Amino acid sequence: MLPINPSLKNLPVYQPGRPIEEVARELGLPADSIIKVASNENPFGPSPLAIAAMQKAIAGVNLYPDGNAFYLKHKLAAKLGIEPANLILGNGSNEIIEFVAHALLGPGDDVIISQFCFAIYPIVAKMSGANVITVSAKNYGHDLPAMLRAITPRTKIVFVANPNNPTGTLAPREELIHFVNDVPDEVLLVMDEAYIEFLNDPVDLVPLIRLGARKNLLLMRTFSKIYGLAGLRIGYGIGESGFVSALEKIRQPFNVNMVAQSAAFAALDDDEHVRRTRANNFAGLEFFERAFREMKLEFVPSSANFILGRVGNGQKVFEAMQKQGVITRPMGGYQLPEWLRISIGTPQENERSLKALKLAL
């Protein structure tokens, strides 16, 4: 038998939302009769501008993409008011998480996470042989003061998602600002901002990087959610240029493909698509919160594009809804077996999801 890395022995496997095609095959249902509200995707799909750009780019896929993504980086940098050297692109923001682990972690190092956090943080830490220090959640969200107290000389990285996945919680504004400023300079703070575009008044941390005030801060963002490009896998990190330069040594030369670069470049121009997605999301959250109150169903108020509801046996409710052609996300893998996560869809998808939920319950 091959001598497999021992750190893989007890490594959990990430379980993504189930694809429509897989559920259709399993249940013998037509694929077009199934809706997926499991993975926090944009129900409107990509921007029309992005679709046109993808169609144009397809003709050139016999050539390797620009490994440095020159045009996309410069456009992003101009939009954010930073330098291209402050940006690193990833095959989804997931890959950025792997970059920082490769750059900073080794056996015996500590990584601090919150109790209900994105599953990839502890997986990547354990892959590196690092210790995962889990801080108990506060109202299903981050207890930032407690996370700050958990930092020791062995701590290399602290991960915070704001808004948080899978709970949708948002850290209090002043608490977050103090936390960002108080994390020791020698500890990397990774702020995962995958859902920041869904906020009305987000805390803008980019100036801290623009001004060089926090060299230990890395922001992560994605084109998967608000821009509807999840299938292309493209995300980015914003950080101090010296640290970004170190991450570039880890990045594979062509990690972001030509079609993804073209779609992201075009999507940045479609403010109307972003506005429409945001408006739909606010309305969808209100729809579910109102319905859950009427049903006397406990839920976590969400600042993202999904909502978490306490349904009793999350796995059984998930299975019952799936048989009705509605794919949701059970939360057993996140230590929340009584809960179910539903992504915000179109108004029609929201109505159908609620109807399926009521039948399942």
Side-chain angles (χ1 to χ4, degrees):
M1 184 175 176
L2 293 172
I4 302 295
N5 185 335
S7 65
L8 299 180
K9 185 177 181 182
N10 298 312
L11 194 71
V13 177
Y14 178 71
Q15 298 293 337
R18 300 196 68 197
I20 287 175
E21 297 79 7
E22 184 179 297
V23 173
R25 286 195 305 269
E26 184 180 293
L27 299 180
L29 297 172
D32 60 5
S33 72
I34 297 172
I35 63 170
K36 183 186 176 191
V37 285
S39 300
N40 312 335
E41 296 146 339
N42 189 323
F44 295 142
S47 151
L49 297 182
I51 292 173
M54 286 187 272
Q55 290 169 336
K56 185 178 179 182
I58 285 170
V61 295
N62 57 305
L63 303 174
Y64 285 105
D66 175 2
N68 292 314
F70 177 90
Y71 293 106
L72 178 56
K73 273 190 181 179
H74 276 73
K75 192 168 188 175
L76 259 179
K79 186 179 179 74
L80 295 166
I82 56 175
E83 296 298 319
N86 294 122
L87 289 167
I88 183 162
L89 298 185
N91 187 250
S93 52
N94 269 25
E95 192 179 28
I96 310 295
I97 302 170
E98 291 190 41
F99 292 162
V100 299
H102 287 310
L104 295 175
L105 296 181
D109 292 330
D110 286 355
V111 171
I112 295 176
I113 60 171
S114 183
Q115 181 181 2
F116 306 122
C117 72
F118 185 40
I120 298 298
Y121 308 153
I123 288 175
V124 168
K126 289 174 183 176
M127 282 174 61
S128 304
N131 306 309
V132 176
I133 309 301
T134 304
V135 176
S136 296
K138 183 178 180 181
N139 299 322
Y140 298 101
H142 293 76
D143 185 341
L144 294 180
M147 293 181 77
L148 200 60
R149 291 193 297 271
I151 294 174
T152 73
R154 293 190 303 274
T155 305
K156 293 295 178 68
I157 305 173
V158 179
F159 284 105
V160 174
N162 195 51
N164 186 45
N165 178 26
T167 60
T169 53
L170 187 68
R173 191 178 197 89
E174 292 303 317
E175 200 172 274
L176 179 64
I177 292 169
H178 285 302
F179 179 79
V180 171
N181 287 316
D182 289 346
V183 170
D185 293 344
E186 65 276 11
V187 175
L188 177 69
L189 171 58
V190 178
M191 290 295 306
D192 189 339
E193 298 183 329
Y195 301 93
I196 192 169
E197 292 92 352
F198 292 100
L199 299 177
N200 269 330
D201 186 26
V203 176
D204 184 7
L205 298 175
V206 175
L208 296 176
I209 292 167
R210 184 186 302 129
L211 300 171
R214 298 303 287 153
K215 297 182 187 299
N216 64 330
L217 176 64
L218 184 74
L219 310 179
M220 293 196 311
R221 296 187 181 178
T222 182
F223 285 91
S224 294
K225 310 302 180 187
I226 199 88
Y227 292 107
L229 301 179
L232 289 180
R233 310 307 303 122
I234 178 164
Y236 56 101
I238 310 167
E240 188 266 329
S241 59
F243 182 60
V244 166
S245 178
L247 298 183
E248 287 285 1
K249 295 179 179 180
I250 297 158
R251 182 183 64 81
Q252 293 297 311
F254 305 112
N255 65 322
V256 177
N257 69 69
M258 180 189 296
V259 178
Q261 289 184 40
S262 300
F265 186 90
L268 289 172
D269 288 330
D270 200 339
D271 294 336
E272 173 56 26
H273 186 260
V274 170
R275 186 207 62 76
R276 182 171 171 241
T277 300
R278 280 168 48 83
N280 179 76
N281 194 67
F282 290 134
L285 285 173
E286 287 180 6
F287 169 82
F288 278 110
E289 290 183 1
R290 184 170 60 250
F292 287 178
R293 287 191 188 100
E294 290 172 0
M295 295 164 66
K296 294 186 168 45
L297 197 73
E298 184 183 350
F299 66 91
V300 178
S302 176
S303 296
N305 65 340
F306 56 83
I307 192 163
L308 198 63
R310 194 170 201 163
V311 296
N313 186 321
Q315 183 65 29
K316 283 190 175 181
V317 173
F318 156 75
E319 291 168 1
M321 291 180 71
Q322 187 173 255
K323 287 175 183 175
Q324 300 175 61
V326 178
I327 308 172
T328 58
R329 192 70 170 271
M331 290 285 103
Y334 283 90
Q335 307 169 54
L336 293 163
E338 297 181 346
W339 297 77
L340 190 77
R341 195 185 69 193
I342 301 175
S343 303
I344 304 302
T346 62
Q348 296 78 16
E349 289 171 337
N350 295 339
E351 292 276 4
R352 185 174 166 192
S353 297
L354 182 63
K355 182 179 179 183
L357 175 62
K358 288 179 175 178
L359 284 171
L361 290 173

